[in-house]
Coordinates of all heavy atoms in Angstrom, one line a residue:
M19 N 134.6 98.8 45.8 CA 135.9 99.6 45.8 C 136.8 99.0 46.9 O 136.3 98.7 48.0 CB 135.7 101.1 46.0 CG 137.0 101.8 46.1 SD 136.7 103.6 46.2 CE 136.8 103.8 47.9
K20 N 138.1 98.8 46.6 CA 139.1 98.3 47.6 C 140.1 99.4 47.7 O 140.4 100.1 46.7 CB 139.6 97.0 47.2 CG 138.7 95.8 47.2 CD 139.3 94.5 47.0 CE 138.3 93.4 47.2 NZ 139.0 92.1 47.2
I21 N 140.8 99.4 48.9 CA 141.8 100.4 49.1 C 143.0 99.6 49.6 O 142.8 98.6 50.1 CB 141.5 101.5 50.1 CG1 141.1 100.9 51.5 CG2 140.3 102.3 49.7 CD1 140.9 101.9 52.6
T22 N 144.2 100.2 49.3 CA 145.5 99.6 49.8 C 146.1 100.5 50.7 O 146.3 101.7 50.4 CB 146.3 99.2 48.7 OG1 145.6 98.4 47.7 CG2 147.6 98.6 49.0
V23 N 146.5 100.1 51.9 CA 147.2 101.0 52.8 C 148.3 100.2 53.5 O 148.3 99.0 53.5 CB 146.3 101.5 54.0 CG1 145.2 102.4 53.5 CG2 145.6 100.3 54.8
E24 N 149.4 100.9 53.9 CA 150.5 100.3 54.5 C 150.3 100.4 56.0 O 150.1 101.4 56.6 CB 151.8 101.0 54.2 CG 152.2 100.7 52.8 CD 153.7 101.1 52.6 OE1 154.5 101.2 53.5 OE2 154.0 101.1 51.4
I25 N 150.2 99.2 56.7 CA 150.0 99.2 58.1 C 151.1 98.1 58.8 O 151.5 97.3 58.1 CB 148.6 98.8 58.5 CG1 148.2 97.5 57.9 CG2 147.6 99.9 58.2 CD1 146.8 97.0 58.3
P26 N 151.4 98.3 60.1 CA 152.3 97.4 60.7 C 151.8 96.0 60.6 O 150.6 95.7 60.9 CB 152.4 97.9 62.1 CG 151.9 99.3 62.1 CD 150.9 99.4 61.0
V27 N 152.6 95.0 60.4 CA 152.2 93.6 60.3 C 152.2 93.0 61.7 O 153.0 93.4 62.6 CB 153.1 92.8 59.3 CG1 154.5 92.7 60.0 CG2 152.5 91.5 59.1
V28 N 151.3 92.1 62.0 CA 151.3 91.3 63.2 C 152.2 90.2 63.0 O 151.9 89.1 62.3 CB 149.9 90.8 63.6 CG1 149.9 90.0 64.9 CG2 149.0 92.0 63.8
A29 N 153.5 90.3 63.4 CA 154.6 89.4 63.0 C 154.4 88.0 63.8 O 154.7 86.9 63.3 CB 156.0 89.9 63.4
E30 N 153.9 88.0 65.0 CA 153.7 86.9 65.8 C 152.5 86.9 66.6 O 152.2 87.9 67.2 CB 155.0 86.5 66.7 CG 154.7 85.3 67.4 CD 155.9 84.9 68.4 OE1 156.7 85.8 68.6 OE2 155.9 83.8 68.8
Y31 N 151.7 85.9 66.6 CA 150.4 85.9 67.3 C 150.3 84.7 68.1 O 150.0 83.5 67.6 CB 149.3 85.9 66.2 CG 148.0 86.4 66.9 CD1 147.8 87.6 67.5 CD2 146.9 85.5 66.9 CE1 146.6 88.0 68.1 CE2 145.7 85.8 67.5 CZ 145.6 87.1 68.1 OH 144.4 87.4 68.6
A32 N 150.6 84.7 69.4 CA 150.7 83.6 70.2 C 149.5 83.2 71.0 O 149.4 82.4 71.9 CB 151.9 83.8 71.3
A33 N 148.4 83.9 70.6 CA 147.1 83.6 71.3 C 146.4 82.4 70.7 O 145.6 82.5 69.7 CB 146.1 84.9 71.2
R34 N 146.8 81.2 71.2 CA 146.3 79.9 70.5 C 144.8 79.8 70.6 O 144.2 79.1 69.7 CB 147.0 78.8 71.2 CG 148.4 78.5 70.7 CD 148.9 77.3 71.4 NE 148.9 77.5 72.8 CZ 149.3 76.5 73.6 NH1 149.6 75.4 73.2 NH2 149.2 76.7 74.9
E35 N 144.1 80.5 71.6 CA 142.7 80.3 71.9 C 141.9 81.1 70.8 O 140.7 81.1 70.8 CB 142.3 80.6 73.2 CG 143.1 79.8 74.3 CD 144.5 80.3 74.6 OE1 144.9 81.3 74.0 OE2 145.1 79.5 75.3
C36 N 142.6 82.0 70.1 CA 141.9 82.9 69.2 C 141.5 82.3 67.9 O 142.3 81.5 67.3 CB 142.7 84.2 68.9 SG 141.8 85.4 67.9
S37 N 140.2 82.6 67.5 CA 139.7 82.0 66.2 C 140.5 82.5 65.0 O 140.4 81.8 63.9 CB 138.2 82.2 66.1 OG 137.5 81.7 67.1
Y38 N 141.2 83.5 65.1 CA 142.0 84.1 63.9 C 143.3 83.5 63.9 O 144.2 83.7 62.9 CB 142.1 85.6 64.0 CG 140.9 86.3 63.8 CD1 140.2 87.0 64.8 CD2 140.2 86.3 62.5 CE1 139.0 87.7 64.5 CE2 139.0 87.0 62.3 CZ 138.4 87.7 63.2 OH 137.3 88.3 63.1
N39 N 143.8 82.7 64.9 CA 145.2 82.2 65.1 C 145.3 80.8 64.4 O 144.5 80.0 64.5 CB 145.5 82.0 66.5 CG 147.0 81.7 66.6 OD1 147.5 80.9 65.9 ND2 147.6 82.2 67.6
A40 N 146.3 80.7 63.5 CA 146.7 79.4 63.0 C 148.2 79.5 62.8 O 148.8 80.5 62.1 CB 146.0 79.1 61.6
G41 N 149.0 78.5 63.3 CA 150.4 78.5 63.1 C 151.1 79.7 63.7 O 152.1 80.1 63.1
R42 N 150.7 80.2 64.9 CA 151.2 81.3 65.5 C 151.2 82.5 64.7 O 152.0 83.5 64.7 CB 152.7 81.1 66.0 CG 152.8 80.1 67.0 CD 154.2 79.8 67.4 NE 154.6 81.0 68.2 CZ 154.6 81.1 69.5 NH1 154.0 80.2 70.2 NH2 155.1 82.2 70.1
A43 N 150.2 82.7 63.8 CA 150.0 83.8 62.9 C 148.6 84.3 63.0 O 147.6 83.4 63.1 CB 150.4 83.7 61.5
C44 N 148.3 85.6 63.0 CA 147.0 86.1 63.0 C 146.5 86.3 61.6 O 147.3 86.9 60.7 CB 146.9 87.5 63.7 SG 145.2 88.2 63.6
H45 N 145.3 85.8 61.2 CA 144.9 85.8 59.9 C 143.7 86.8 59.6 O 142.9 86.7 58.7 CB 144.5 84.5 59.3 CG 145.7 83.5 59.4 ND1 146.8 83.7 58.5 CD2 146.1 82.6 60.3 CE1 147.8 82.9 58.8 NE2 147.4 82.1 59.9
A46 N 143.3 87.7 60.7 CA 142.3 88.7 60.4 C 142.9 89.7 59.5 O 144.2 89.8 59.3 CB 142.0 89.4 61.8
K47 N 142.1 90.5 58.8 CA 142.6 91.5 57.9 C 143.4 92.6 58.6 O 144.4 92.9 58.3 CB 141.5 92.2 57.1 CG 141.1 91.5 55.9 CD 140.0 92.4 55.1 CE 139.5 91.5 53.9 NZ 138.4 92.3 53.3
A48 N 142.8 93.1 59.7 CA 143.4 94.1 60.6 C 142.8 94.0 62.0 O 141.7 93.6 62.2 CB 143.2 95.4 59.9
I49 N 143.7 94.2 62.9 CA 143.3 94.1 64.3 C 143.3 95.5 64.9 O 143.9 96.4 64.4 CB 144.1 93.1 65.2 CG1 145.5 93.6 65.3 CG2 144.1 91.8 64.5 CD1 146.4 92.8 66.2
T50 N 142.5 95.6 66.0 CA 142.5 96.9 66.8 C 143.1 96.5 68.2 O 142.8 95.5 68.8 CB 141.1 97.4 67.0 OG1 140.6 97.7 65.8 CG2 141.0 98.6 67.8
I51 N 144.1 97.3 68.6 CA 144.7 97.2 69.9 C 144.3 98.3 70.8 O 144.1 99.5 70.4 CB 146.3 97.3 69.7 CG1 146.8 96.1 69.0 CG2 147.0 97.3 71.1 CD1 146.7 94.7 69.6
G52 N 144.0 97.9 72.0 CA 143.8 98.9 73.1 C 142.4 98.9 73.6 O 141.4 98.8 72.9
Q53 N 142.4 98.9 74.9 CA 141.1 99.1 75.7 C 141.5 100.1 76.7 O 141.8 99.8 77.9 CB 140.7 97.7 76.3 CG 140.5 96.6 75.3 CD 140.8 95.3 75.9 OE1 141.6 95.1 76.9 NE2 140.4 94.2 75.1
G54 N 141.5 101.4 76.4 CA 141.9 102.5 77.2 C 143.3 102.5 77.4 O 144.1 102.6 76.4
V55 N 143.9 102.3 78.6 CA 145.3 102.4 78.8 C 146.0 101.0 78.6 O 147.2 100.9 78.5 CB 145.6 102.9 80.2 CG1 145.1 104.3 80.3 CG2 145.0 102.1 81.3
H56 N 145.2 99.9 78.6 CA 145.8 98.6 78.4 C 145.9 98.2 77.0 O 144.9 98.3 76.2 CB 144.9 97.6 79.1 CG 145.4 96.2 79.0 ND1 146.5 95.7 79.7 CD2 144.9 95.1 78.3 CE1 146.7 94.5 79.4 NE2 145.8 94.1 78.6
P57 N 147.1 97.7 76.5 CA 147.2 97.3 75.1 C 146.7 96.0 74.8 O 147.3 95.2 74.1 CB 148.8 97.4 74.9 CG 149.3 97.0 76.2 CD 148.3 97.6 77.3
G58 N 145.5 95.7 75.2 CA 144.8 94.4 74.9 C 144.4 94.3 73.5 O 144.2 95.4 72.8
C59 N 144.3 93.1 72.9 CA 143.9 92.9 71.5 C 142.3 93.0 71.5 O 141.7 92.0 72.0 CB 144.4 91.6 71.0 SG 143.7 91.3 69.2
D60 N 141.7 94.1 71.0 CA 140.2 94.2 70.9 C 139.6 93.2 69.9 O 138.5 92.9 69.9 CB 139.9 95.6 70.4 CG 139.4 96.4 71.6 OD1 139.5 95.9 72.7 OD2 139.0 97.5 71.3
T61 N 140.5 92.5 69.0 CA 139.9 91.7 68.0 C 139.9 90.2 68.4 O 139.3 89.4 67.8 CB 140.9 91.9 66.7 OG1 140.9 93.2 66.4 CG2 140.2 91.2 65.5
F62 N 140.6 89.9 69.6 CA 140.6 88.6 70.0 C 139.2 88.0 70.1 O 138.3 88.7 70.6 CB 141.2 88.5 71.4 CG 141.2 87.2 72.1 CD1 142.1 86.2 71.8 CD2 140.1 86.8 73.0 CE1 142.0 85.0 72.4 CE2 140.0 85.6 73.6 CZ 141.0 84.6 73.2
L63 N 139.0 86.7 69.5 CA 137.7 86.2 69.5 C 137.8 84.7 69.7 O 138.7 84.1 69.0 CB 137.1 86.5 68.1 CG 135.8 85.9 67.9 CD1 134.7 86.5 68.7 CD2 135.4 86.0 66.4
H64 N 137.1 84.1 70.7 CA 137.2 82.7 71.0 C 135.9 82.1 70.6 O 134.9 82.2 71.3 CB 137.6 82.4 72.5 CG 137.7 81.1 72.8 ND1 138.6 80.2 72.2 CD2 136.9 80.3 73.6 CE1 138.5 79.0 72.7 NE2 137.4 78.9 73.5
M65 N 135.9 81.4 69.5 CA 134.7 80.7 69.1 C 135.1 79.2 68.8 O 136.2 78.8 68.5 CB 134.1 81.3 67.8 CG 133.6 82.7 68.0 SD 133.1 83.4 66.4 CE 131.9 82.2 65.8
S66 N 134.1 78.3 68.7 CA 134.3 76.9 68.6 C 134.8 76.8 67.1 O 135.4 75.7 66.7 CB 133.1 76.1 68.8 OG 132.0 76.5 68.1
T67 N 134.3 77.6 66.1 CA 134.7 77.5 64.7 C 135.8 78.5 64.4 O 135.5 79.8 64.5 CB 133.4 77.8 63.9 OG1 132.4 76.9 64.2 CG2 133.7 77.5 62.4
P68 N 136.9 78.0 64.0 CA 137.9 79.0 63.7 C 137.8 79.7 62.3 O 137.0 79.1 61.5 CB 139.2 78.1 63.6 CG 138.7 76.9 63.3 CD 137.4 76.7 64.0
A69 N 138.3 80.8 62.1 CA 138.2 81.5 60.8 C 138.8 80.6 59.8 O 139.8 79.9 60.0 CB 138.9 82.9 60.9
R70 N 138.3 80.6 58.4 CA 138.8 79.8 57.4 C 140.0 80.3 56.8 O 140.9 79.6 56.3 CB 137.7 79.6 56.4 CG 136.5 78.8 56.8 CD 135.6 78.4 55.6 NE 135.2 79.6 54.8 CZ 134.2 80.4 55.0 NH1 133.3 80.2 56.0 NH2 134.0 81.4 54.2
E71 N 140.2 81.7 56.8 CA 141.4 82.3 56.2 C 142.6 81.9 56.8 O 142.8 81.9 58.1 CB 141.2 83.8 56.2 CG 142.5 84.5 55.7 CD 142.9 84.3 54.3 OE1 142.0 84.4 53.4 OE2 144.0 83.9 54.1
R72 N 143.7 81.3 56.0 CA 144.9 80.8 56.6 C 146.2 81.4 55.9 O 147.2 81.1 56.3 CB 144.9 79.3 56.5 CG 143.9 78.6 57.6 CD 144.4 78.9 59.0 NE 143.6 78.3 60.0 CZ 142.7 79.0 60.7 NH1 142.4 80.2 60.4 NH2 142.0 78.3 61.6
Q73 N 146.0 82.2 54.8 CA 147.1 82.7 54.1 C 147.4 84.1 54.5 O 148.6 84.5 54.6 CB 146.8 82.6 52.6 CG 146.5 81.3 52.1 CD 147.7 80.2 52.4 OE1 148.8 80.6 52.1 NE2 147.3 79.1 52.9
R74 N 146.5 85.0 54.5 CA 146.6 86.4 54.9 C 147.3 86.7 56.2 O 147.1 85.9 57.1 CB 145.2 87.0 54.8 CG 145.2 88.6 55.1 CD 143.8 89.0 55.0 NE 143.0 88.4 56.0 CZ 141.7 88.1 55.7 NH1 141.1 88.5 54.5 NH2 140.9 87.5 56.5
R75 N 148.2 87.6 56.3 CA 148.8 88.0 57.5 C 148.1 89.3 57.9 O 147.8 90.2 57.1 CB 150.3 88.3 57.3 CG 151.0 87.1 57.0 CD 150.9 86.0 58.0 NE 151.5 86.3 59.3 CZ 152.7 85.9 59.7 NH1 153.5 85.2 58.9 NH2 153.2 86.3 60.9
A76 N 147.8 89.4 59.2 CA 147.1 90.6 59.8 C 148.0 91.8 59.9 O 149.2 91.6 60.0 CB 146.5 90.2 61.2
G77 N 147.3 92.9 59.9 CA 148.0 94.2 60.1 C 147.3 94.8 61.3 O 146.2 94.4 61.8
V78 N 147.9 95.9 61.8 CA 147.3 96.7 62.9 C 146.5 97.8 62.3 O 147.0 98.8 61.8 CB 148.4 97.3 63.9 CG1 147.7 98.0 65.0 CG2 149.3 96.1 64.3
G79 N 145.2 97.7 62.3 CA 144.4 98.8 61.8 C 144.2 100.0 62.6 O 144.2 101.2 62.1
A80 N 144.2 99.9 63.9 CA 144.0 101.0 64.8 C 144.6 100.6 66.2 O 144.6 99.5 66.5 CB 142.6 101.4 65.0
C81 N 145.0 101.6 66.9 CA 145.5 101.4 68.3 C 145.0 102.5 69.1 O 145.2 103.6 68.8 CB 147.0 101.3 68.3 SG 147.6 101.1 70.0
K82 N 144.4 102.2 70.2 CA 143.7 103.2 71.1 C 144.6 103.5 72.3 O 144.1 104.1 73.2 CB 142.4 102.8 71.5 CG 141.4 102.5 70.4 CD 140.1 102.1 70.8 CE 140.0 100.7 70.9 NZ 138.6 100.1 71.3
V83 N 145.9 103.1 72.3 CA 146.8 103.2 73.5 C 147.7 104.4 73.2 O 148.8 104.2 72.7 CB 147.6 102.0 73.7 CG1 148.3 102.1 75.0 CG2 146.6 100.8 73.8
I84 N 147.3 105.6 73.6 CA 148.2 106.8 73.3 C 149.3 106.8 74.3 O 150.2 107.6 74.1 CB 147.3 108.1 73.4 CG1 146.6 108.2 74.8 CG2 146.3 108.2 72.3 CD1 145.9 109.6 75.0
A85 N 149.3 106.0 75.4 CA 150.4 105.9 76.2 C 151.6 105.2 75.7 O 152.7 105.1 76.2 CB 150.0 105.2 77.6
C86 N 151.5 104.5 74.5 CA 152.6 103.8 73.8 C 153.4 104.7 73.0 O 152.9 105.5 72.3 CB 152.0 102.7 73.0 SG 153.4 101.7 72.2
R87 N 154.8 104.5 73.1 CA 155.7 105.3 72.4 C 155.5 105.3 70.8 O 155.8 106.1 70.1 CB 157.1 104.9 72.8 CG 158.2 105.6 72.1 CD 159.6 105.1 72.4 NE 159.8 105.0 73.8 CZ 160.9 104.4 74.3 NH1 161.8 103.9 73.5 NH2 161.1 104.3 75.7
F88 N 155.0 104.1 70.4 CA 154.8 103.9 68.9 C 153.5 104.5 68.4 O 153.3 104.5 67.1 CB 154.8 102.4 68.6 CG 156.1 101.8 68.8 CD1 156.3 100.8 69.9 CD2 157.3 102.1 68.0 CE1 157.5 100.3 70.0 CE2 158.5 101.5 68.2 CZ 158.6 100.6 69.2
N89 N 152.6 104.9 69.3 CA 151.4 105.4 68.9 C 151.4 106.8 68.3 O 152.0 107.7 68.9 CB 150.3 105.4 70.0 CG 148.9 105.6 69.7 OD1 148.5 106.6 69.0 ND2 148.1 104.6 69.8
D90 N 150.9 107.0 67.1 CA 150.9 108.3 66.5 C 149.5 108.6 65.9 O 149.1 107.9 64.9 CB 152.0 108.4 65.3 CG 152.1 109.7 64.6 OD1 151.6 110.8 65.2 OD2 152.5 109.8 63.5
D91 N 148.8 109.5 66.5 CA 147.5 109.9 66.0 C 146.5 108.7 66.0 O 145.8 108.4 65.1 CB 147.5 110.5 64.6 CG 146.3 111.2 64.2 OD1 145.6 111.7 65.1 OD2 146.1 111.4 63.0
L92 N 146.7 107.9 67.0 CA 145.8 106.7 67.3 C 146.1 105.6 66.3 O 145.2 104.7 66.1 CB 144.3 107.2 67.3 CG 144.0 108.1 68.4 CD1 142.5 108.5 68.2 CD2 144.2 107.5 69.8
E93 N 147.2 105.5 65.7 CA 147.7 104.5 64.8 C 149.1 104.0 65.3 O 149.9 104.8 65.9 CB 147.7 104.9 63.4 CG 146.3 105.3 62.8 CD 146.3 105.7 61.4 OE1 147.3 105.7 60.8 OE2 145.2 105.8 60.9
C94 N 149.4 102.8 65.0 CA 150.6 102.2 65.4 C 151.7 102.5 64.4 O 151.6 102.4 63.2 CB 150.5 100.7 65.4 SG 152.1 99.9 65.9
G95 N 152.8 103.1 64.9 CA 154.0 103.4 64.1 C 155.1 102.4 64.1 O 156.2 102.6 63.5
A96 N 155.0 101.3 64.7 CA 156.0 100.3 64.7 C 156.1 99.6 63.4 O 155.0 99.5 62.6 CB 155.7 99.3 65.9
N97 N 157.2 99.0 63.0 CA 157.2 98.1 61.8 C 156.4 96.9 61.9 O 155.7 96.5 60.9 CB 158.7 97.8 61.4 CG 159.5 99.0 61.0 OD1 158.9 99.9 60.4 ND2 160.7 99.0 61.4
A98 N 156.3 96.3 63.0 CA 155.6 95.1 63.3 C 155.4 94.9 64.7 O 156.1 95.6 65.6 CB 156.5 93.8 62.7
I99 N 154.4 94.1 65.1 CA 154.2 93.9 66.5 C 153.9 92.4 66.8 O 153.7 91.6 65.8 CB 152.9 94.7 67.1 CG1 151.6 94.0 66.4 CG2 152.9 96.1 66.7 CD1 150.3 94.4 67.3
S100 N 154.1 92.1 68.0 CA 153.8 90.7 68.5 C 152.6 90.7 69.4 O 152.5 91.7 70.2 CB 155.0 90.1 69.2 OG 156.1 89.9 68.2
V101 N 151.9 89.7 69.4 CA 150.6 89.7 70.3 C 150.7 88.4 71.0 O 151.0 87.3 70.5 CB 149.4 89.8 69.5 CG1 148.2 89.7 70.3 CG2 149.3 91.2 68.8
G102 N 150.4 88.5 72.3 CA 150.3 87.2 73.1 C 150.0 87.5 74.5 O 149.4 88.5 74.8
G103 N 150.3 86.5 75.4 CA 149.9 86.7 76.8 C 148.8 85.7 77.3 O 148.5 84.8 76.6
A104 N 148.4 85.9 78.5 CA 147.4 85.0 79.2 C 146.1 85.2 78.4 O 145.8 86.3 77.8 CB 147.3 85.4 80.5
V105 N 145.3 84.1 78.5 CA 144.0 84.1 77.7 C 143.1 85.2 78.0 O 142.5 85.8 77.1 CB 143.3 82.7 77.9 CG1 142.8 82.6 79.3 CG2 142.2 82.6 76.9
R106 N 143.0 85.7 79.2 CA 142.1 86.8 79.5 C 142.8 88.2 79.4 O 142.2 89.2 79.7 CB 141.5 86.7 80.9 CG 140.6 85.4 81.0 CD 139.7 85.6 82.2 NE 139.0 84.4 82.4 CZ 137.9 84.0 81.7 NH1 137.4 84.9 80.9 NH2 137.3 82.9 81.9
A107 N 144.1 88.1 78.9 CA 144.8 89.5 78.8 C 145.8 89.3 77.5 O 146.8 89.7 77.6 CB 145.7 89.7 80.0
I108 N 145.1 89.0 76.4 CA 145.9 89.0 75.2 C 146.3 90.4 74.8 O 145.4 91.3 74.7 CB 145.0 88.3 74.0 CG1 144.7 86.9 74.4 CG2 145.8 88.2 72.8 CD1 145.7 85.9 74.8
S109 N 147.6 90.6 74.6 CA 148.0 92.0 74.5 C 149.1 92.2 73.5 O 149.8 91.2 73.0 CB 148.6 92.5 75.9 OG 147.7 92.4 76.9
C110 N 149.3 93.4 73.1 CA 150.4 93.8 72.2 C 151.6 93.7 73.1 O 151.8 94.5 74.0 CB 150.2 95.2 71.6 SG 151.6 95.9 70.7
L111 N 152.6 92.8 72.7 CA 153.8 92.7 73.4 C 154.9 93.6 73.0 O 156.0 93.8 73.6 CB 154.4 91.3 73.3 CG 153.4 90.2 73.7 CD1 154.0 88.7 73.4 CD2 153.0 90.3 75.1
T112 N 154.6 94.5 72.0 CA 155.5 95.5 71.5 C 155.3 96.9 72.2 O 156.1 97.7 72.0 CB 155.4 95.6 70.0 OG1 155.4 94.3 69.4 CG2 156.5 96.4 69.3
F113 N 154.3 97.0 73.0 CA 153.9 98.2 73.7 C 155.2 98.7 74.5 O 155.8 97.9 75.2 CB 152.8 97.9 74.7 CG 152.6 99.0 75.7 CD1 151.9 100.2 75.3 CD2 153.2 98.9 77.0 CE1 151.7 101.1 76.3 CE2 152.9 99.9 77.9 CZ 152.2 101.0 77.6
V114 N 155.5 100.0 74.3 CA 156.5 100.6 75.1 C 156.0 101.9 75.7 O 155.5 102.7 74.9 CB 157.9 101.0 74.3 CG1 158.8 101.6 75.2 CG2 158.4 99.6 73.7
P115 N 156.0 102.1 77.0 CA 155.4 103.3 77.6 C 156.2 104.5 77.2 O 157.4 104.5 77.1 CB 155.4 103.0 79.1 CG 156.4 101.9 79.3 CD 156.5 101.2 78.0
R116 N 155.4 105.6 76.9 CA 156.1 106.9 76.7 C 156.8 107.3 78.0 O 156.3 107.1 79.1 CB 155.1 108.0 76.4 CG 154.5 107.8 75.0 CD 153.6 109.0 74.8 NE 152.7 108.7 73.6 CZ 153.0 108.9 72.3 NH1 154.2 109.4 72.0 NH2 152.2 108.6 71.3
L117 N 158.0 108.0 77.9 CA 158.7 108.4 79.0 C 158.1 109.8 79.5 O 157.6 110.5 78.8 CB 160.2 108.5 78.8 CG 160.8 107.2 78.4 CD1 162.3 107.4 78.1 CD2 160.7 106.2 79.6
Ligands
SF4_228 S1 153.2 98.9 69.5 FE1 152.1 100.4 70.7 S2 151.1 101.7 69.2 FE2 151.7 99.8 68.2 S3 149.8 98.4 68.5 FE3 151.3 98.0 70.2 S4 150.5 99.3 71.9 FE4 149.6 100.1 70.0

């Protein structure tokens, strides 16, 4: 059985070292954002062999950062997100802290 859900797209993925990255796009089915309070990409994976999938665009499956203004019930409510940053801190760049 397959399901279809609407989730925010990962519009830009600048983590070149990630095995899911090709052409500045993430090709995982869905990523998870958040390691507690930090909006890091939990799906980031650095392996010598990259993932073969190159057509699919990733979505945000879950986000554990409740401190973000876009977070609603542990899911992302933004239309799209960008992911990037330093290799040891690949993060959601769309994060906006709640006031
Ligand atoms: S924009 Fe906010 S809620 Fe959406 S994935 Fe990024 S940190 Fe999570």
Side-chain angles (χ1 to χ4, degrees):
M19 180 176 91
K20 292 191 175 190
I21 60 170
T22 302
V23 293
E24 288 193 18
I25 55 178
V27 67
V28 180
E30 182 178 14
Y31 196 62
R34 283 183 299 174
E35 301 80 3
C36 182
S37 298
Y38 291 111
N39 185 321
R42 296 182 68 88
C44 175
H45 301 289
K47 273 186 184 172
I49 67 171
T50 297
I51 294 293
Q53 299 148 342
V55 295
H56 178 70
C59 180
D60 257 5
T61 308
F62 175 83
L63 179 67
H64 180 65
M65 292 176 60
S66 57
T67 307
R70 294 191 308 272
E71 172 61 50
R72 289 292 182 262
Q73 301 301 316
R74 177 178 60 213
R75 297 300 295 261
V78 183
C81 178
K82 297 181 272 183
V83 186
I84 59 174
C86 179
R87 184 185 301 174
F88 292 111
N89 194 298
D90 181 20
D91 198 23
L92 300 175
E93 294 183 357
C94 179
N97 289 328
I99 72 164
S100 297
V101 176
V105 67
R106 296 198 186 279
I108 304 300
S109 303
C110 173
L111 303 178
T112 309
F113 169 81
V114 177
R116 289 184 195 275
L117 297 178

